[in-house]
Amino acid sequence: MTALRLTPHSPDQIIRLPIPGDRDTDDAPAILAYLKQFAVHYGRSPYVREFVRSILPPFTGQNDRQTILRTIVDFTRDRVIYLADPAGAEYVIDPIALLELIRTKGRAYGDCDDKALLLASMAGAVGFETRIVGVHLHDPIYWDHVITGIRMDGRWVDIDPCVRNTEQPEYREKLVSDV
């Protein structure tokens, strides 16, 4: 696993977190576990926690988990523009690098795993239990899309940070990172 830094990065520097394996069905559980480890790691970052605090509405009520979660989800959807990884490459962008790009340039670019990891990290930084979930989007055999699961009011809510509206697709088959 790559060594990680918890200090803000230069906006021009993107740290790529390598993904193990070849994205085939057998590697999917390991990849999701790997992403979950990063979500936990970055969810403990003081930088990520402070960033989340800075985007909350000024009159967020004490422990208003609905508003906090909605703010984080909307922020991730609106500020990280979907852009696929290069052909034949698979990597994840460090959430702190994404937040720094957003802070300095107003937006960042990333694919589904970047968005899911950022959402899980931000939610984890303010006390939500999270998980990374693989789903079939375009391929019935390969787990070709990643979403975020967030525990809310005692149940898991799956959130696809790539979907532009509040209607969440109903993914029938899911591969969950409970590591």
Side-chain angles (χ1 to χ4, degrees):
M1 190 179 309
T2 305
L4 304 174
R5 292 181 283 165
L6 290 179
T7 57
H9 305 293
S10 156
D12 298 329
Q13 178 184 23
I14 297 211
I15 305 299
R16 292 182 177 97
L17 308 172
I19 299 288
D22 292 328
R23 291 182 57 167
D24 67 19
T25 302
D26 295 335
D27 292 334
I31 291 169
L32 291 178
Y34 189 70
L35 290 171
K36 174 61 178 176
Q37 287 177 338
F38 280 124
V40 170
H41 180 81
Y42 284 101
R44 293 179 178 156
S45 164
Y47 179 82
V48 174
R49 181 179 171 78
E50 182 58 25
F51 196 100
V52 172
R53 191 209 51 78
S54 76
I55 66 169
L56 293 177
F59 300 107
T60 302
Q62 184 174 352
N63 204 25
D64 182 354
R65 294 173 61 80
Q66 288 283 357
T67 300
I68 292 168
L69 183 57
R70 173 63 34 219
T71 300
I72 294 168
V73 170
D74 290 347
F75 178 88
T76 304
R77 285 184 176 151
D78 295 343
R79 298 296 185 91
V80 181
I81 311 305
Y82 184 88
L83 185 65
D85 287 337
E90 182 62 41
Y91 54 78
V92 177
I93 301 172
D94 172 331
I96 292 176
L98 287 174
L99 292 175
E100 272 299 289
L101 284 166
I102 293 166
R103 187 183 66 76
T104 59
K105 300 186 185 226
R107 66 181 175 195
Y109 294 88
D111 67 358
C112 63
D113 46 42
D114 302 317
K115 287 179 151 227
L117 177 57
L118 179 61
L119 177 57
S121 299
M122 292 175 74
V126 292
F128 288 94
E129 185 179 351
T130 66
R131 64 187 186 184
I132 305 294
V133 181
V135 297
H136 299 294
L137 184 62
H138 301 296
D139 191 311
I141 296 171
Y142 295 107
W143 302 101
D144 60 348
H145 189 55
V146 179
I147 63 175
T148 306
I150 297 178
R151 197 164 192 55
M152 185 71 163
D153 299 327
R155 66 182 186 87
W156 285 103
V157 177
D158 291 329
I159 300 172
D160 187 338
C162 295
V163 174
R164 297 293 308 162
N165 58 31
T166 56
E167 270 309 299
Q168 289 295 303
E170 188 64 39
Y171 298 110
R172 289 191 183 107
E173 288 187 68
K174 299 176 195 171
L175 183 61
V176 177
S177 68
D178 283 328
V179 175

